[in-house]
Amino acid sequence: MKILIARLNHETNTFSPVPTPLGAFAPAYGDAAYRAAKGTRTAAAAFIDLAEAAGADIVVPVIAGANPSGRVAAEAYTHLCDTIIAAAHGCDAVMLDLHGAMVAENSDDGEGDLLRRLRAVLPHAPVAVALDLHGNITQALVDHADIAVSFKTYPHVDMYETGAHAGRLLLDMIAGRVRPVMAWRRPPLITHTLRSRTDEGAMQRAVALAREAERDGMLAVSVLAGFGLADIAAPCLSVIVVGDGDPAKADEVASRIAAQAWAERDGFAYQAEPLSSSIARAAQLADSADRADARPVLLLDHGDNCMSGGTCDNMAVLHEALAQGLTGIAVGPVCDAEAVAALVDAGVGATITLPVGDKVALPQLEVYPQSRPLTGTVAAITDGEYTITGPTYTGQRIRMGRTALLDIGAAQIVVTETPQEHWDLGIFTHIGIDPHRARFLLLKSRMYCRPVFVPIARAVVECDGEGVTSSRYERFPFRRVSRPVYPLDGNVAWAG
C-alpha cells in the first residue's frame, strides 16, 4: 500500500495586508518534508506514524504551513497544489493535513479546489483530511473527501490526536472494518473567534454533543467554528459527521448539533467594549488587587493578533494605556523591522527617539495609521530565538528575527522583525524581561497565549484595538458573503 501524506496549512484573513508568498510557507519537499513532519505534534506526524505502523510505503511531497495572513499568492497556491497532485499518481490512499480556511488569489476555496483536482487523479482512492477547528467548510470538500475530522480544542492542543483519528478511520476503511459516510450542516452563522474557545459557552456545549455522538457510534463528529475574517461566500460554522454505513443517521446527528448551535447563535457573538473602557478597567483591577498579589494583568490586544492575520504593529492599545497613566507595562512583540534596524544601529545603552509601529496601512478598512515617536533606552538586543516549552508546539525553535528591547520608562517594548504569537514566556525571558514582575503584560494575542500566560496573571482584559483582526465585524467591508447571515444581518431565518 502506498499512501500520500502532505500538509498544506493556512488560515486566510482576506482583509489582512500581510502578503502570503511561497516563502511564507517555508515548504519542505520529499525527504526533507518527511523529516520536517516526523515527531511533531501535527496531524501530518500522526499520519506518518500510522502509515509506518501499517507497513505502508509513504510519499510525502510537501510539508508547508504559513502564519495567518492575506490571500495566498496565486503562484504559491498553484505550486503547492501541483506538488501534491504530481505525487498522487499511483498512490492507494491519501492523508492530508489541511486547515480548511485557505483562500488564494486564484481560489476562494483552497482546500475544496485541491481535493477536486486530487479526486480527478485518484477517483477511487480513499482520502482522509484533518482540519483546523476554524475551517470554512464547502460542498467541494465534503464531496471529495471520504473522511474529515477537525480539532476539538481551542486553543488547539489536539492536532496530533485529530490526525490519528482521521488516519485510523482511513486504515479501517481500507481494511473493510468501517464504511464511512459523511453528512454536514452549515447554518448562516459567522462566529467570533473569541467565542469559539472550547472551555466555555455555546462552543463548549456543541463540542460536548459531538463527543457524545461519537460515544454513541458515530465514527467522527466535528464542530468547526469557521473563520469569519474571510470575505468568501460562507465563512460560517459547520458540523461534519462521519457515520458508519448509515447516511440517514449521520444526517440526523449533523442536523441536531447544527440546530443547537443555531439556537445558541447569540453565544457565538462577541461584544467588544470600547478600548478606553478596557484600559480603565485594567488599571482598576491592578489598583484594587490584593497588594500581596504581585501578578500582572494581561492586556490582550486581540484586534492585532498575528495568528488571525494581524500586522502586529498597531499601537492603539499601548498609546491608550500610556495616555491613562499605566506603568510597569511589558509589551511585545511589536513588529517593526525598520525600528529594529535603528535600535540595533544605536546599540545597547543608547537613548533614542524614533517612531515605533503603526506603519502598515489597512486599506480595506480605510485605516492609515500615523506612527508616533517614542523616546527610550535600548536595553537589549538579541537574535530573537527561543525554544517553546509547551504545551503547544513543544520543542519548536522560534525565530523572530533580530529583536530589540526599548525601555521608555512606563513600558518595556519588545520590537521584532517578524510578527509573532505568544507561544511561550520565552518571548520575554529571552531578552531579559521577567513577565512575572510586570504590572501589565500587553500581548498581541487572542487565545494561544492563555495556556502559558493566564496561570501567571491576576486578571485578563480583552482589548479590541484598531487592527485587522478586530471583533467588530461592522468595520469590515464584506462583499462576497452570502446574505442574510448572522450577526451581520438582523433577521436571519434558518430551517436546518
Side-chain angles (χ1 to χ4, degrees), residues 270-286 297-302 317 320-321 324 326 440 460-465:
Y270 178 82
Q271 302 299 325
E273 67 180 340
L275 177 58
S276 60
S277 300
S278 298
I279 297 301
R281 184 160 57 88
Q284 185 177 27
L285 285 167
V297 173
L298 296 188
L299 306 176
L300 300 189
D301 182 8
H302 59 89
V317 176
E320 180 64 29
Q324 292 196 29
L326 274 62
F440 301 94
V460 177
V461 177
E462 294 166 348
C463 302
D464 196 346

Side-chain angles (χ1 to χ4, degrees), residues 202-273:
M203 189 64 182
Q204 181 188 47
R205 290 187 287 276
V207 171
L209 280 182
R211 294 186 186 278
E212 180 183 352
E214 289 178 347
R215 290 192 295 270
D216 290 343
M218 293 297 103
L219 298 178
V221 183
S222 302
V223 180
L224 299 99
F227 183 64
L229 294 176
D231 192 14
I232 58 175
C236 297
L237 180 144
S238 293
V239 178
I240 300 178
V241 176
V242 184
D244 188 2
D246 188 344
K249 180 60 176 176
D251 192 68
E252 184 276 326
V253 172
S255 178
R256 175 166 50 85
I257 296 176
Q260 172 169 308
W262 179 247
E264 293 197 75
R265 56 192 175 277
D266 288 349
F268 290 96
Y270 178 82
Q271 302 299 325
E273 67 180 340

